[in-house]
């Protein structure tokens, strides 16, 4: 893997692995259960289970998982450092905005205003903490929307008060990439990480700053399933980056951005109050997953889907599984000891009881009430915000779609 400077603000990293080629005739499968032999879409990338906590961990490139990566110090200003302790009142919804075009990313500014990305338009909107008409604050250039690709995840810099930086993950003409820009500053965004394979489906796209101040990036396999097991490919991984896009210090393999591997399509990342990372996973034909993520672990795809043979501890089994009809899980948020998972095909919000590194009962909420649910996030005031995704071509569009909903803390 070779690095190449991208100007004084940071470094731009590309993967020096073989080109990944796939050709797709269908326009995406957020529904999880696409055909076994789904045709691919042309993609190019260049750049450089046992129960969690009990089995021997797998590593990338034979490295031993770093204790630094698993025990990190919270960043004082990281948005993920404030862990809501109060449960949301799911019986008291408020529509904060409506008439949006496939809202995908949702991130909060320090004062409580929300930033929203629209997948197909490439626009980033700002919505006041009290609701109202959102206004456009940025138009990401180079977005090539199609299938599940487009402008996807958003993250706000942990040092936003000082640097005014916003991060975005999007699908371009050749790849998926992560950029950053100064809110209100205009100008072209800075590419900090590129060369992530793109396709009509499985583009991943969720990004979030962790309590350690590092940027975590969930990617998909882009239809080339074998790349999920390739430690030299960014596909089917959770990446852990410095804010400038370079591999974070303390990663399982020095100089590599890979934090965990063996994923199919990661669209949800969330931390609990003890700074443990959890992620959602789109299954194929059988089961969707919630995983407890540990550095260097291998989560099995495409060799294992759901709970299965860990091959003597080589693979890590999920905490929770659902049938693909019930879930197709995208965004994830944690309040107190409960994880909330937005389900697309399942058209519900799953609540999952968490106990340390284990999960208890999962319960469906809001079933069928709002249609397809894409992103769920906790706001600085402890409320839970939820986006619908009925205008994405797979839902039944209702009056006011797509919408942003807020549920106050109890």
């Amino acid at each position: 893997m070779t690095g190449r400077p991208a100007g004084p603000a940071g470094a731009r990293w590309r993967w020096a692995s073989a080109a990944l080629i796939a050709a797709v005739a269908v326009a995406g499968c957020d529904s999880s259960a696409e055909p076994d032999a789904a045709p691919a879409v042309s993609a190019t990338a260049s750049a450089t289970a046992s129960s969690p906590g009990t089995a021997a961990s797998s590593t990338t490139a034979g490295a031993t998982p770093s204790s630094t990566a698993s025990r990190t110090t919270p960043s004082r200003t990281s948005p993920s450092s404030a862990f809501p302790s109060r449960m949301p009142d799911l019986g008291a919804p408020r529509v904060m905005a409506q008439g949006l075009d496939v809202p995908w990313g949702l991130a909060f500014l320090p004062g409580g205003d929300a930033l929203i990305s629209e997948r197909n338009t490439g626009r980033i909107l700002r919505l006041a903490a009290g609701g109202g008409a959102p206004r456009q604050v940025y138009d990401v250039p180079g977005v090539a929307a199609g299938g599940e690709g487009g402008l996807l995840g958003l993250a706000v810099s942990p040092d936003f008060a000082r640097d005014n930086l916003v991060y975005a993950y999007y699908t371009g003409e050749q790849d998926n990439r992560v950029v950053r820009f100064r809110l209100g500053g205009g100008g072209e965004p800075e590419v900090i990480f590129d060369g992530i394979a793109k396709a009509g489906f499985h583009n991943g796209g969720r990004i979030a700053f962790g309590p350690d101040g590092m940027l975590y990036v969930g990617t998909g396999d882009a239809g080339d399933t074998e790349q999920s097991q390739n430690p030299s490919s960014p596909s089917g991984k959770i990446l852990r980056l410095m804010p400038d896009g370079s591999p974070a210090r303390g990663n399982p393999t020095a100089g590599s951005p890979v934090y965990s591997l063996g994923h199919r399509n990661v669209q949800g990342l969330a931390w609990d109050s003890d700074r443990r990372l959890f992620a959602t996973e789109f299954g194929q034909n059988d089961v969707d997953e919630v995983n407890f993520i540990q550095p260097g672990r291998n989560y099995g795809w495409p060799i294992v889907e759901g709970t299965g043979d860990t091959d003597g501890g080589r693979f890590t089994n999920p905490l929770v599984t659902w049938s693909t009809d019930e879930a197709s899980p995208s965004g994830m948020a944690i309040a107190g000891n409960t994880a909330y998972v937005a389900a697309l095909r399942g058209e519900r919000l799953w609540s999952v009881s968490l106990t340390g590194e284990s999960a208890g009962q999962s319960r469906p909420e809001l079933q069928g009430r709002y249609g397809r649910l894409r992103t769920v996030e906790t706001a600085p005031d402890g409320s839970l915000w939820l986006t619908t995704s009925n205008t994405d071509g797979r839902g039944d569009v209702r009056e006011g779609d797509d919408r942003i909903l807020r549920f106050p803390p109890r």
Side-chain angles (χ1 to χ4, degrees):
M1 182 171 63
T2 58
R4 177 164 75 184
R12 174 178 175 178
W13 290 80
R14 290 189 65 86
W15 286 71
S17 57
L20 309 177
I21 304 294
V24 168
V26 294
C29 51
D30 276 334
S31 59
S32 298
E34 78 276 16
D36 286 336
V41 121
S42 179
T44 303
S46 65
T48 139
S50 58
S51 178
T54 60
S57 63
S58 172
T59 62
T60 58
T64 301
S66 164
S67 59
T68 305
S70 58
R71 293 192 297 272
T72 50
T73 302
S75 167
R76 179 174 57 87
T77 55
S78 171
S80 298
S81 297
F83 303 100
S85 59
R86 297 167 62 188
M87 305 290 286
D89 184 352
L90 297 180
R94 178 186 172 192
V95 177
M96 304 297 287
Q98 58 186 355
L100 303 179
D101 188 348
V102 195
W104 210 103
L106 176 64
F108 290 95
L109 298 171
D113 286 4
L115 296 179
I116 303 155
S117 67
E118 290 185 324
R119 187 185 72 183
N120 293 347
T121 68
R123 300 192 306 163
I124 295 177
L125 309 175
R126 181 169 182 166
L127 177 62
R135 59 185 177 89
Q136 180 175 326
V137 291
Y138 199 74
D139 189 353
V140 180
V143 173
E148 294 174 11
L151 178 57
L152 305 178
L154 295 178
V156 172
S157 167
D159 294 318
F160 181 83
R162 178 182 59 83
D163 60 31
N164 222 41
L165 287 172
V166 174
Y167 292 69
Y169 182 115
Y170 75 88
T171 310
E173 291 294 340
Q174 300 297 326
D175 58 7
N176 287 299
R177 51 185 51 197
V178 181
V179 300
R180 64 181 180 180
F181 61 91
R182 297 191 190 280
L183 188 65
E188 293 290 311
E190 176 193 6
V191 179
I192 65 164
F193 196 95
D194 57 2
I196 304 169
K198 62 168 280 187
F201 57 88
H202 303 176
N203 289 293
R206 192 66 63 186
I207 59 175
F209 278 97
D212 57 359
M214 299 297 104
L215 180 65
Y216 291 74
V217 179
T219 72
D221 64 16
D224 189 348
T225 61
E226 298 306 315
Q227 296 307 316
S228 295
Q229 291 294 322
N230 179 359
S232 297
S233 167
S235 298
K237 308 293 190 301
I238 293 175
L239 310 177
R240 180 173 176 266
L241 309 175
M242 299 289 288
D244 68 0
S246 59
R249 292 184 293 272
N251 278 356
T253 299
S256 169
V258 174
Y259 191 69
S260 63
L261 73 162
H263 299 289
R264 184 169 182 266
N265 193 24
V266 176
Q267 289 191 8
L269 300 168
W271 288 262
D272 69 4
S273 59
D274 287 320
R275 301 185 293 280
R276 288 179 287 246
L277 173 60
F278 299 82
T280 61
E281 183 87 58
F282 281 85
Q284 185 170 14
N285 294 319
D286 298 321
V287 292
D288 296 320
E289 304 172 2
V290 171
N291 287 295
F292 168 47
I293 303 299
Q294 298 183 80
R297 289 290 180 94
N298 187 327
Y299 291 84
W301 178 256
I303 301 165
V304 180
E305 180 184 4
T307 302
D309 185 356
T310 66
D311 192 17
R314 177 186 174 196
F315 303 125
T316 299
N317 275 329
L319 296 184
V320 180
T321 61
W322 299 287
S323 73
T324 54
D325 288 341
E326 295 176 305
S328 296
S330 188
M332 184 181 192
I334 296 176
N337 295 321
T338 301
Y340 294 92
V341 177
L344 290 160
R345 187 177 182 184
E347 297 191 352
R348 66 199 74 181
L349 182 71
W350 283 102
S351 65
V352 181
S353 174
L354 298 176
T355 305
E357 300 173 3
S358 302
Q361 179 183 9
S362 62
R363 183 174 65 250
E365 309 278 5
L366 310 177
Q367 191 166 348
R369 190 174 303 176
Y370 301 109
R372 292 165 62 81
L373 304 180
R374 168 74 65 183
T375 296
V376 57
E377 293 286 353
T378 52
D381 66 358
S383 61
L384 192 75
W385 289 44
L386 185 64
T387 76
T388 66
S389 191
N390 294 317
T391 63
D392 64 5
R394 295 181 182 157
D396 295 324
V397 179
R398 309 168 187 213
E399 185 177 356
D401 280 339
D402 270 319
R403 290 173 282 176
I404 309 291
L405 302 163
R406 177 187 182 271
F407 300 90
R410 291 185 183 276

